[in-house]
């Protein structure tokens, strides 16, 4: 029994020694870096640490400023009674891409001595890709006559309230897978480092949401060549380009 106890203790000492050796050799959690980045996700900050000499893990948050898109949308309104025919109307829409999102990403260095890496992970939060606000006096007047009106975005219709206002936007998944490639050290060997990264968030086709009423039960048609419809049809992934300045704390 004593021999078995001594053997177990000896094995544990060997394993513990191997763990210490691996930490010193491969840098497992023995370093921490803070990065500032700028790119297509806005302005961000993150922290990173090595898992092995091949894998670095980072988490962070980014803020997209209120960049706006303006477009003049033509709306064709049909009278359900057929007495007044169709009404051509226009509404000025403004879309904003302001949002905040988090990220958790692992970067793999196939050749540790060469600073090329492949990244995979996910972005989360910031599911409102574009917010849309608009107003039309013409639509306000039609609504006063008892019309049900809305603005068509893709396959959906944004309702117009009694004051002629439109409010809603484009919504994507709350958790979005990410893949990318880059060059540079996520955790620099020296005190400061620089890296660049190019990738995509996969969020599928954006969905339309509204802050007024219901997306269905409306009577309205829109020419399908407006800016927001083009966004819905083509933007199934969100491109990510980042430039990152990193400082190693320890």
């Amino acid at each position: 029994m004593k021999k078995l106890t001594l053997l177990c203790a000896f094995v544990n000492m060997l394993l513990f020694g191997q763990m210490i050796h691996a930490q010193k050799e491969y840098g497992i959690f023995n370093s921490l870096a803070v990065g500032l980045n700028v790119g297509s996700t806005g302005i961000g900050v993150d922290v990173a640490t090595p898992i092995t000499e091949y894998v670095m893990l980072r988490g962070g948050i980014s803020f997209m400023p209120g960049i706006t898109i303006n477009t003049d949308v033509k709306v064709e309104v049909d009278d359900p009674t057929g007495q007044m025919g169709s009404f051509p109307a226009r509404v000025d829409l403004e879309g904003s891409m302001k949002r905040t999102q988090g990220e958790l990403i692992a970067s793999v260095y196939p050749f540790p001595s060469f600073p090329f890496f492949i990244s995979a992970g996910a972005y989360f939060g910031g599911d409102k890709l574009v917010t849309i606000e608009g107003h039309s006096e013409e639509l306000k007047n039609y609504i006063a006559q008892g019309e049900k009106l809305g603005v068509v975005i893709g396959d959906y219709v944004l309702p117009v309230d009694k004051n002629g206002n439109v409010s809603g936007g484009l919504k994507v998944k709350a958790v979005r897978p990410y893949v990318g490639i880059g060059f540079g050290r996520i955790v620099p060997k020296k005190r400061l480092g620089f890296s660049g990264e190019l990738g995509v968030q996969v969020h599928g086709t954006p969905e339309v949401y509204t802050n007024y009423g219901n997306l269905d039960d409306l009577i309205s048609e829109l020419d399908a060549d407006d800016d927001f419809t083009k966004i819905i049809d083509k933007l199934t992934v969100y491109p990510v380009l980042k430039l990152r300045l990193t400082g190693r704390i320890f």
Side-chain angles (χ1 to χ4, degrees), residues 12-235:
N12 287 331
M13 288 178 62
L14 284 177
L15 291 175
F16 183 74
Q18 289 296 320
M19 290 175 61
I20 296 297
H21 175 72
Q23 184 175 16
K24 290 181 178 179
E25 183 176 357
Y26 298 118
I28 302 176
F29 296 117
N30 72 345
S31 185
L32 184 69
V34 176
L36 298 175
N37 61 75
V38 62
S40 60
T41 56
I43 301 170
V45 60
D46 57 50
V47 293
T49 186
I51 303 300
T52 71
E53 64 174 339
Y54 295 95
V55 182
M56 308 290 168
L57 181 67
R58 73 181 187 268
I61 188 169
S62 57
F63 308 90
M64 174 62 76
I67 300 173
T68 59
I69 303 172
N70 293 282
T71 186
D72 185 35
V73 178
K74 184 170 72 175
V75 181
E76 191 73 18
V77 183
D78 295 323
D79 176 18
T81 66
Q83 297 178 0
M84 303 179 68
S86 297
F87 307 90
R90 305 199 73 87
V91 58
D92 295 323
L93 295 182
E94 179 181 273
S96 173
M97 299 184 68
K98 182 178 181 180
R99 63 173 175 163
T100 301
Q101 53 186 329
E103 64 182 75
L104 183 62
I105 298 172
S107 298
V108 178
Y109 289 83
F111 311 100
S113 60
F114 186 68
F116 167 79
F117 61 87
I118 302 170
S119 294
Y123 280 78
F124 50 90
D127 56 342
K128 292 183 178 180
L129 178 63
V130 177
T131 57
I132 299 173
E133 302 289 338
H135 176 78
S136 172
E137 286 296 320
E138 290 181 273
L139 297 183
K140 179 180 178 181
N141 294 333
Y142 289 142
I143 290 174
Q145 299 175 25
E147 297 294 331
K148 287 184 177 181
L149 307 180
V151 176
V152 175
I153 304 293
D155 296 327
Y156 300 90
V157 182
L158 290 183
V160 181
D161 73 357
K162 63 181 181 179
N163 297 314
N165 296 319
V166 177
S167 179
L170 307 180
K171 195 172 184 178
V172 295
K173 296 177 182 178
V175 178
R176 302 171 294 281
Y178 170 81
V179 291
I181 58 174
F183 191 85
R185 297 289 179 185
I186 299 299
V187 178
K189 293 183 177 181
K190 298 182 179 180
R191 187 59 62 183
L192 292 176
F194 181 81
S195 63
E197 188 169 359
L198 179 64
V200 291
Q201 296 180 33
V202 182
H203 59 218
T205 301
E207 297 180 356
V208 177
Y209 72 93
T210 179
N211 295 319
Y212 302 140
N214 195 308
L215 288 177
D216 301 317
D217 193 26
L218 293 165
I219 303 167
S220 177
E221 291 183 0
L222 170 68
D223 288 345
D225 60 351
D226 66 280
D227 293 339
F228 294 115
T229 301
K230 291 177 181 178
I231 291 176
I232 292 178
D233 291 340
K234 297 180 180 180
L235 192 59

